[in-house]
Every structure is written in C-alpha cells, then in structure tokens.
Amino acid sequence: MLSVPEIKQLLKEHQLLQSVLVAPQTETFTNITYDSRKVRDQALFICKGNFKPEYLTMAKEAGATGYVAEQYYPEGEGMTAVIVADVQKTMALLGAAFYDYPQNELFIIAYTGTKGKTTSAYFARGILAEATSDRTALFSTIDRILGNEPNQRFKSDLTTPESLDLFHDMRQAVNNGMNHLVMEVSSQAYKKSRVYGLKYDIGIFLNISPDHIGRNEHPNFADYLFCKEQLLLNSKTCVINAETTHLLDVYQTAKASVGAENVYLYARKGAKLEFAVDVDFEITNDFEDLKQSEFKVTGLTAKAKSLDLDGTYEIALAGDYNEGNATSALIAAGITGARKSVAQQALPLVKVPGRMEMITSKNHGTVYIDYAHNYASLSALLKFLRKQTNAGKIHVVLGSTGDKGISRREGFGKALSEEADVAYLTTDDPGFEDPLKIAQEIDQHIDHKRVDVVFELERKEAVKKALMASTSADVVVLAGRGEDKYLKVKGKELLYPTDVEIAQEILEDID
C-alpha cells in the first residue's frame, strides 16, 4: 500500500518529482502495475516504455485511481497524476516501497558479465541452498526460484525483470521463508533503471567482451562497460575475475567504491593479466574431461586465507571457464560464512539446464547442447571441445536473435571461423526480423575457406542435416537455445521443442 504523501516525499528525495495533481478522495493505492490488464481497484498505473494513451484509458476503466508518467495525459482526467522526470527510476523506487523493501530482508549476491552469469548463479545458489537449509532464492536467465514448492519455481522472461516484478518476487521469496538471493544483473537492467536504488551485499564481475551493442541496446562498447560496472558501484563487497579484459578500469571502479580491502580477485594459476595486481585466489586445474572438472583453490592473501577456502573441488560441468565460474560462487559463499566442506559437497550436485548437455549416438557423433549465445561463450565452448575430443569435424547449428544482440552476429561468424568445420545457419528468436537476413549477416563474417556453410531456417531440419552429415568421430554442437521451449516470432512466444528434444527424436529415427 502506498499513500500520496509517501509518494511525494520519496520522489522529492530523489529529485524525480515534477508535479502532483491529487484527485478527490484519493489517499492510498492498494495495487501498482505497468500492465493495464493487471489493474485492480485503487491501482496506481505506471505509463512506461511503449506506452499508448489508450492503455491509460483501459487502466482507468479497470479501476485505477492514479497514474505516473513523464507528462500529463487528458485520458487520466479525474485520476491522481504524478508527473516525474524519469518514469523508469520512479517505478523502481515505488516498487521497492510498495512491497516494503524486501531487499532489506535478503542477503543478495549479484552477478554480471558477458558470459557465465547463469552457470555461476546456479553454483552460488547450490552452495547457499545447502548452507541455509534451502532458504536461498534464485533470479536467473533460466529460472526464478522463489521458494521450495513446485509452484514457486517458474521460467524467466528476462535476465533481470522489470523493477515492479523484481520487488514483487523478492517479497514473495521473503514470504516463502527465503533469506538469501542469488541474482543475475544484465547491462540492460542498468540501462533501463530496472535496479535503480538497489544495493547488493556482494557484486561479482565475471568478464566483459562486446555484446548487446546495436539498436535498442547499447550504442557502443563504452556504454556497455559503463552499465556493467554499475553493479560494482552498488555493492558492499566486490568479487572480480582478474582475467577479464579491461581489468584496470573494472578494478579501479570497484576499489573506488568499496575500498581495496573489500575487493576479491581470482584467476587461474599462470594466467596473463592485463596489469599487475595481487590476486587473492588462485585456481589450479587438476583434471577435466567432457563430463566434469576437478580443481584446486588456494588463498594467496591474508583476507583470502581468512575465508578458509583452500582445497579441492569438483563440478559436474566441463570446461576450465566453468572452474572460474565455480570459484566466484565459492568466494561469494565463503564471504557469507558458508564452510568449504559445504561447498565441496554441494558443487558436484549442481546441474545447469541447457549448459553442456551431451547426447551420444551410435553413428552420428556426439551431440552437445549449450546456451552459448555470443562470441565469448561460443568460442570458449568450441575451443574446449576441439581440445578435449580430437573431433574429426565440428558441426555447429545456430541462429541469432532478432531485434537485439545485433553485434553477436559478427561474433558468431568469428567464433565459427576459428573452430567449426561446418556451420548450419538457422532460426533463433527472430522477433520482427527476417531470419534469413540474420543468417546472411552471420555468414558475412565467416571465413568460407575454413568453414562450409549450410542455410536451413527450419531449426529441426537444420539439426537433422547436421546429424545426418556427421560421422561417429564428429561433434555436433546445438548452440544458443539450450532448453528454451519457445521461439519469439513477431511479438509472440510460440511453443517449440528444445534442442535436446529435437536431437533425441532425430537420433531415435536415424541411429
């Protein structure tokens, strides 16, 4: 519940309030939403994003008694009008207040990075779920876990949801008995002020490489990096992968925000860093194959040793990059007070849907399904598979999303040119774009002297062609979708088989 005086005071404190026109008999709001279809009596309606005045008319007819906007609308006559300088920032502040600041009742660990956020978040949640007796929530690209009952776990729509949804879910998590939260924070969350005013107990910076640059996203890399670094400026303690590019800028941002004593750096033993800095934790690879990894973590500084995390750990995911992801989770959990014995027990049990899932076939190679959806993740995946499998050929099936992630198309072409033998360019969430044009853009950046290219826009058929063309010595990679069950086409989400389901069905027929 929010009252008009509370709203005025809060927005004045943040220099966002422009004016308020209070309608007669409007004292409090018992509902707040930006979706006119979810309006109830005494609702405060937020006019944001792709707003049309008719949405306000619909909200008023459904019982809304007030609205928030960056300008006055005649359609809202008779309603309380709250005119603000920035509606996105306002929505975040009002959302936190309406749900009574649930973030204050949660210990929050937040991740950002171009690749690895989801896997790292699952690792951290796995350790903390064990350490807190299943009282740790998760907001990830794949799932939002608000409690331990089946109906308290559901598919995510966005990596970081809209602020009203975010605070609503935090309140639900607290009401469900959760006291810790692990969440992913995208660059778009800061670009669009979805997390405005939110502070984290621990902020983790995994890496940065060009991504999300294009229309409707970041105009350039500098803006992308700036938005990523906002997480460090809004955290009490920072954990950084020292192997990231732009380390100096990232580290100085964190140090200026929280002080060097509250920044923890980790890196693989012998890694070449961009500038000389004392690493707190060192990772040594002991063993890895296509199903698991074993690695050793050693604290090198006094503050690292005080967490008592030195030891050997196992994860049920391959790839040295996943050892780094697990180490970030281990450090974060250690800062919360989780013992290393708990982490050693929990990490091998963590499963991440759509990450490095493997299907073996009799005659058509080994199939790997992974969510790799940008240059950094696809390149790391293909290089690892090339090293580990000694594959005859690597066949890759992928597409690229429409309306966003435009810069990924060049990155895909580059990654394919580095390690793939055959690329099958297909459809993946084309949105309002033509999937053929998207595929052609990827193709422009592929070295055709190194890689054969097949265009097949029907994804099922593309997977079938890749499998039929492969031999028992080959590897087939289905990239970008993991276990996503929907295709986003022209504003609609169409039910579509996951890559795992498609591969299993085809192999049953042809093996």
Side-chain angles (χ1 to χ4, degrees):
M1 183 177 295
L2 275 178
S3 70
V4 173
E6 288 174 320
I7 293 171
K8 291 170 66 176
Q9 180 179 348
L10 179 61
L11 298 184
K12 282 181 179 179
E13 289 174 354
H14 289 265
Q15 293 82 47
L16 289 169
L17 187 65
Q18 302 278 22
S19 63
V20 179
L21 178 62
V22 182
Q25 299 179 337
T26 300
E27 296 181 359
T28 59
F29 300 101
T30 58
N31 174 229
I32 184 170
T33 182
Y34 59 86
D35 188 340
S36 59
R37 297 165 296 182
K38 296 181 179 179
V39 168
R40 299 196 300 269
D41 286 343
Q42 288 185 272
L44 180 63
F45 181 66
I46 312 292
C47 305
K48 73 146 200 91
N50 297 318
F51 172 76
K52 298 178 182 179
E54 51 261 41
Y55 297 158
L56 182 54
T57 300
M58 293 170 60
K60 182 178 178 181
E61 292 173 350
T65 54
Y67 71 92
V68 177
E70 293 178 2
Q71 67 178 71
Y72 175 80
Y73 289 102
E75 290 81 0
E77 185 177 355
M79 304 170 69
T80 291
V82 182
I83 311 304
V84 298
D86 187 317
V87 74
Q88 288 284 161
K89 291 180 179 179
T90 297
M91 185 167 66
L93 293 171
L94 296 183
F98 184 84
Y99 293 108
D100 196 21
Y101 303 99
Q103 67 268 37
N104 295 338
E105 301 174 61
L106 293 164
F107 189 100
I108 304 177
I109 297 173
Y111 274 97
T112 200
T114 302
K115 69 183 180 79
K117 294 190 298 296
T118 300
T119 300
S120 301
Y122 268 80
F123 282 140
R125 197 258 174 181
I127 299 171
L128 288 174
E130 182 69 23
T132 63
S133 301
D134 287 327
R135 299 180 70 185
T136 301
L138 174 70
F139 295 174
S140 79
T141 299
I142 301 174
D143 291 319
R144 295 227 284 279
I145 301 175
L146 310 184
N148 297 316
E149 299 300 322
N151 64 352
Q152 295 166 353
R153 179 173 185 155
F154 50 93
K155 177 182 177 292
S156 293
D157 298 319
L158 295 167
T159 297
T160 311
E162 286 287 2
S163 55
L164 283 186
D165 302 322
L166 180 67
F167 289 111
H168 169 274
D169 288 354
M170 283 186 182
R171 174 49 59 195
Q172 288 295 113
V174 171
N175 292 347
N176 294 336
M178 303 293 104
N179 53 28
H180 285 65
L181 167 64
V182 180
M183 64 181 289
E184 297 179 45
V185 181
S186 66
S187 59
Q188 287 294 294
Y190 278 107
K191 186 72 174 174
K192 298 186 177 182
S193 299
R194 293 176 190 155
V195 290
Y196 179 73
L198 187 58
K199 299 288 184 180
Y200 315 102
D201 293 281
I202 302 174
I204 304 172
F205 193 104
L206 295 174
N207 46 65
I208 185 80
S209 59
D211 196 16
H212 292 290
I213 298 169
R215 60 183 182 273
N216 303 325
E217 296 187 286
H218 300 281
N220 49 51
F221 180 79
D223 186 71
Y224 179 56
L225 176 60
F226 173 81
C227 289
K228 285 288 188 189
E229 289 179 335
Q230 296 311 296
L231 181 132
L232 302 172
L233 295 172
N234 288 281
S235 299
K236 300 175 184 176
T237 300
C238 298
V239 178
I240 299 171
N241 174 10
E243 295 182 57
T244 184
T245 59
H246 301 274
L247 174 61
L248 178 60
D249 197 56
V250 171
Y251 176 66
Q252 288 183 337
T253 298
K255 187 172 69 170
S257 176
V258 301
E261 67 278 10
N262 292 313
V263 179
Y264 293 82
L265 296 166
Y266 67 92
R268 290 173 296 177
K269 185 176 182 178
K272 294 181 180 180
L273 308 185
E274 286 192 344
F275 84 103
V277 62
D278 290 332
V279 172
D280 299 290
F281 290 94
E282 185 178 76
I283 309 166
T284 306
N285 174 266
D286 286 345
F287 168 82
E288 66 180 3
D289 61 16
L290 291 169
K291 294 183 179 180
Q292 62 184 13
S293 292
E294 182 179 293
F295 61 99
K296 184 182 298 181
V297 174
T298 305
L300 302 179
T301 62
K303 66 182 178 185
K305 291 177 182 178
S306 70
L307 296 182
D308 189 26
L309 298 176
D310 287 16
T312 300
Y313 300 85
E314 296 179 10
I315 54 174
L317 278 177
D320 54 3
Y321 48 91
N322 281 320
E323 294 174 357
N325 293 335
T327 299
S328 74
L330 175 66
I331 297 168
I335 294 170
T336 71
R339 300 187 305 277
K340 69 179 178 184
S341 59
V342 171
Q344 289 169 326
Q345 178 182 346
L347 280 174
L349 304 178
V350 174
K351 305 293 182 184
V352 186
R355 264 59 176 183
M356 278 292 282
E357 298 193 41
M358 182 176 68
I359 302 174
T360 57
S361 70
K362 297 177 182 177
N363 306 306
H364 297 278
T366 306
V367 184
Y368 293 91
I369 297 95
D370 194 89
Y371 187 64
H373 62 290
N374 54 36
Y375 168 75
S377 55
L378 183 63
S379 177
L381 172 65
L382 296 183
K383 286 178 180 177
F384 174 76
L385 290 176
R386 178 72 75 183
K387 180 178 71 172
Q388 284 288 327
T389 64
N390 296 312
K393 287 186 176 182
I394 294 181
H395 304 252
V396 183
V397 178
L398 62 73
S400 190
T401 55
D403 308 322
K404 65 177 184 178
I406 309 300
S407 61
R408 293 175 180 172
R409 300 168 194 179
E410 180 179 354
F412 281 150
K414 181 181 176 183
L416 291 168
S417 298
E418 290 172 351
E419 297 295 343
D421 295 292
V422 188
Y424 301 80
L425 302 182
T426 188
T427 299
D428 184 356
D429 289 345
F432 289 92
E433 290 193 65
D434 181 349
L436 175 58
K437 290 183 178 180
I438 295 174
Q440 289 170 337
E441 287 186 37
I442 299 172
D443 183 59
Q444 290 175 6
H445 302 285
I446 295 176
D447 182 351
H448 291 85
K449 294 179 181 179
R450 296 171 57 92
V451 184
D452 294 328
V453 177
V454 177
F455 284 84
E456 176 52 68
L457 298 183
E458 173 50 59
R459 194 174 184 93
K460 295 178 187 177
E461 191 62 26
V463 175
K464 184 175 182 179
K465 286 183 177 181
L467 290 172
M468 291 294 290
S470 64
T471 69
S472 59
D474 294 345
V475 162
V476 178
V477 177
L478 310 183
R481 292 188 56 77
E483 294 196 0
D484 193 347
K485 298 180 179 180
Y486 297 89
L487 273 178
K488 297 180 177 66
V489 182
K490 295 182 178 179
K492 297 181 179 180
E493 287 197 347
L494 307 179
L495 192 63
Y496 198 86
T498 67
D499 280 354
V500 174
E501 292 170 340
I502 292 172
Q504 288 175 334
E505 180 181 345
I506 294 171
L507 287 173
E508 285 178 5
D509 289 337
I510 68 175
D511 252 347

